[in-house]
Amino acid sequence: MLGGIVLVLAGLSALSLWGVRTIGRLADDSTDRLRKVELTEVIAGSDANINTLAAKMVFDKKVSEDLLNQMVHYGELRNSALEEFKVRAKTPEEIQQSAEFIELARRKTASSDRVLDLVRAGKSADANRLSRVKSGLKEKAKEASDRETRLVDENEKIRRQTSSTIWLVLVGGSLFTMAAAIAGGVVLARGIANPLATVIASLDHIAGGDLSKDTAPELRKREDEIGTLARSMQSMTVAWRKIVQEISGGIQVLASSSTELMA
């Protein structure tokens, strides 16, 4: 019984450890994916800002140094986000997605440079047409953001299911362990208290001078301390019987001798 309870407690401990590690792994994965969502927002936002600045210069029909510096700044933000996204990419799909991001960003940079060259050359109409061509970077960023958000939601669903399962198993296991401990305690108490009461009753008979009763055989067969006590008590009873028999025999001899002597 005790061994079974220990096994159940060990199983519950192992389950708890597995649950903690699983939930921790899911939390780390969700944190990483949420960071990727932030990176896609930076990529899409930087691309939108670059488009706006290029459109403004096309509209003004001149390349402004200030606007050009802003474009460079947003380009650096976009490239930094792309690089971090590449580092965080682990699955083949994410690696492929990262490569597509980088290629679209390269094309976008080349297109923006071409737009600015056309503006400088005074070809505003051509620059306007080229600036309206979509790079696909914003759409790709949204696709990646939606995918990462969906995976975060799936992680959260798994986390809730895992927590619920662990909670139910722990509660059930704890109740089972408590019930088994109580039942084991009752069985153990009965297994000790009842035989011990029988042994005490036999000792009371011996103390009262009654040596006619033997210790119960089922008690003498036990391999525990109760059995040892029962066997010792039986040996003591047998020894006392011999002593009493010898004393009785001596009394009879003495009585016979006394009778002969009186005669």
Side-chain angles (χ1 to χ4, degrees):
M1 179 67 72
L2 181 60
I5 293 175
V6 171
L7 288 177
V8 171
L9 292 176
L12 293 177
S13 300
L15 177 65
S16 299
L17 182 60
W18 170 81
V20 169
R21 290 182 175 178
T22 300
I23 292 174
R25 178 181 56 80
L26 291 172
D28 292 341
D29 186 68
S30 294
T31 300
D32 181 68
R33 295 191 182 282
L34 288 174
R35 177 55 184 166
K36 289 176 186 175
V37 172
E38 293 178 358
L39 293 175
T40 58
E41 292 175 353
V42 172
I43 293 169
S46 299
D47 184 66
N49 289 329
I50 291 173
N51 290 338
T52 301
L53 293 170
K56 183 172 178 55
M57 284 188 279
V58 171
F59 181 78
D60 294 339
K61 298 181 181 180
K62 65 176 182 178
V63 176
S64 168
E65 192 66 26
D66 180 56
L67 297 180
L68 186 60
N69 290 334
Q70 292 184 47
M71 286 184 66
V72 172
H73 169 70
Y74 286 118
E76 290 174 350
L77 285 178
R78 180 194 63 194
N79 293 338
S80 176
L82 287 170
E83 184 62 28
E84 185 176 347
F85 191 94
K86 179 181 178 181
V87 172
R88 291 179 177 273
K90 298 179 180 66
T91 65
E93 184 177 357
E94 291 174 348
I95 294 173
Q96 176 64 27
Q97 202 168 50
S98 175
E100 293 174 357
F101 269 143
I102 293 173
E103 177 60 21
L104 290 173
R106 186 189 65 78
R107 293 179 184 178
K108 177 64 177 179
T109 300
S111 177
S112 297
D113 290 342
R114 178 59 179 162
V115 169
L116 296 180
D117 289 340
L118 291 173
V119 172
R120 292 188 185 98
K123 299 179 180 180
S124 300
D126 293 338
N128 185 43
R129 281 194 299 271
L130 183 58
S131 66
R132 293 179 180 275
V133 176
K134 293 183 178 181
S135 65
L137 193 57
K138 182 179 179 181
E139 291 74 16
K140 180 60 67 173
K142 175 131 186 355
E143 177 185 331
S145 177
D146 291 343
R147 175 180 180 275
E148 298 299 330
T149 301
R150 185 181 71 256
L151 292 175
V152 169
D153 292 339
E154 290 178 1
N155 282 346
E156 179 61 20
K157 182 179 179 182
I158 295 173
R159 185 196 66 79
R160 288 196 299 268
Q161 291 176 345
T162 302
S163 299
S164 178
T165 300
I166 293 175
W167 172 254
L168 291 175
V169 173
L170 287 178
V171 170
S174 299
L175 293 176
F176 171 79
T177 303
M178 291 176 61
I182 293 173
V186 171
V187 171
L188 185 63
R190 289 181 177 176
I192 294 177
N194 293 341
L196 190 59
T198 302
V199 171
I200 292 173
S202 298
L203 287 174
D204 288 339
H205 286 299
I206 294 174
D210 184 4
L211 302 176
S212 62
K213 295 181 179 180
D214 291 326
T215 307
E218 61 271 13
L219 294 181
R220 283 180 280 162
K221 293 178 181 179
R222 291 173 64 117
E223 298 298 329
D224 55 4
E225 288 77 5
I226 299 294
T228 302
L229 178 61
R231 288 189 292 273
S232 297
M233 193 172 66
Q234 178 66 20
S235 299
M236 182 183 66
T237 301
V238 172
W240 274 107
R241 284 174 184 170
K242 282 186 178 182
I243 293 174
V244 170
Q245 288 175 357
E246 290 175 358
I247 292 175
S248 298
I251 290 174
Q252 290 177 359
V253 172
L254 182 60
S256 176
S257 299
S258 297
T259 301
E260 291 177 358
L261 183 60
M262 290 177 64

